[in-house]
Amino acid sequence: MPDAHAHRGVERVDRVLDLVARSTEPPTLTEISRSLGLPRSTAADVLRELRARGYLRLVGRGHVLGRRLQVLGLLAGSGPPSPVEHDRLEELSRLARAPVASAVLVGGEVLYLDHAGPRAPARLQAVADEHRPRPALRTAAGRLLLAFAGDAERASVLRAVAADDPEAVAAFERERPAIERARLARSDGLADPSIRAIAVPVVEDRQVTAALVLFGPRPRTPGAPAPSAQLALERAAARVAAAL
């Protein structure tokens, strides 16, 4: 027998997404509850789940559509919803002389939408090719995008991560002011012990909406002097940031 509760849940999700998509101003919890005739607690539960999955995100106290629907279109073969066209990504990769990927924050995870340039190591290339989700605080892109996210969105992601990895949250909070000042973030072996990554912001309408990530090798010995490849990656990231 069909589950009536499940049907109601799907209907509520559909109505919330439809309302947010049609709204000229990001609707708040109160406005969504009132407009859809939902109890405030029910609306709060639906919105919390949709934000956690990346279907919605907070701007101030209001809600706007997140990247999840676009990413699902990408996975279905509808074309990458990348804020940077592929030809432009190729151009930036040639400028950097390094692999460059575009990435977005979806809930508490990072997804790579497109990539260009030299092939990265196979284990890393598969993450980009297959659009595998990565924990935000383990990636340069996630750290950058969280630093420039709205306060409510960032707090929601960090609360979820803190339950399992409080040290990662504490480290990010210590580094966030430096990320904001420099307008770039680094992942020095966080996601892969042999890979160093630098992320620079993509800005649309004065908001950071995505990141471009450059990848390079990491020194095998902790504390070793920065090799020429590492310095070259830093310079490459600076060139890409200037070109954007």
Side-chain angles (χ1 to χ4, degrees):
M1 174 177 261
D3 188 335
H5 293 290
H7 287 177
R8 283 199 296 272
V10 171
E11 180 187 1
R12 286 167 180 163
V13 166
D14 179 72
R15 292 171 65 201
V16 168
L17 293 176
D18 184 81
L19 175 64
V20 172
R22 293 174 185 273
S23 298
T24 55
E25 294 292 332
T28 64
L29 165 60
T30 299
E31 291 165 344
I32 290 170
S33 172
R34 184 184 302 125
S35 296
L36 299 182
L38 294 173
R40 185 181 175 88
S41 60
T42 299
D45 288 343
V46 173
L47 291 172
R48 187 182 306 110
E49 288 298 316
L50 289 173
R51 291 195 303 268
R53 302 295 186 275
Y55 288 97
L56 294 178
R57 62 186 180 87
L58 280 168
V59 175
R61 296 176 61 194
H63 292 79
V64 299
L65 293 179
R67 290 275 190 178
R68 183 61 180 164
L69 291 172
Q70 292 175 298
V71 169
L72 289 175
L74 167 65
L75 296 176
S78 301
S82 176
V84 178
E85 295 290 337
H86 185 76
D87 288 348
R88 178 61 171 154
L89 206 60
E90 291 279 8
E91 179 184 327
L92 291 170
S93 179
R94 287 193 293 271
L95 176 67
R97 296 189 292 277
V100 178
S102 60
V104 293
L105 189 65
V106 180
E109 298 175 322
V110 165
L111 282 105
Y112 296 94
L113 304 181
D114 196 8
H115 59 91
R119 301 287 289 180
R123 60 190 177 282
L124 184 63
Q125 192 67 44
V127 171
D129 288 343
E130 300 171 14
H131 314 293
R132 296 178 186 173
R134 306 290 282 173
L137 293 187
R138 292 289 173 182
T139 67
R143 294 158 71 79
L144 179 81
L145 293 170
L146 274 178
F148 286 97
D151 292 343
E153 181 182 8
R154 181 171 56 250
S156 176
V157 171
L158 294 182
R159 275 197 302 271
V161 176
D164 298 317
D165 197 353
E167 292 182 3
V169 173
F172 168 74
E173 290 286 32
R174 287 194 300 270
E175 295 169 22
R176 181 158 63 94
I179 293 172
E180 292 171 344
R181 284 195 303 271
R183 294 184 68 79
L184 61 80
R186 298 175 179 85
S187 173
D188 196 10
L190 288 175
D192 186 307
S194 65
I195 296 294
R196 177 176 169 83
I198 302 178
V200 299
V202 175
V203 179
E204 298 175 295
D205 297 326
R206 294 184 295 182
Q207 290 190 336
V208 175
T209 58
L212 293 187
V213 190
L214 292 80
F215 302 97
R218 180 172 178 264
R220 294 180 180 275
T221 306
S228 58
Q230 185 173 332
L231 296 176
L233 189 66
E234 295 282 345
R235 297 189 187 107
R239 291 196 299 273
V240 168
L244 291 173

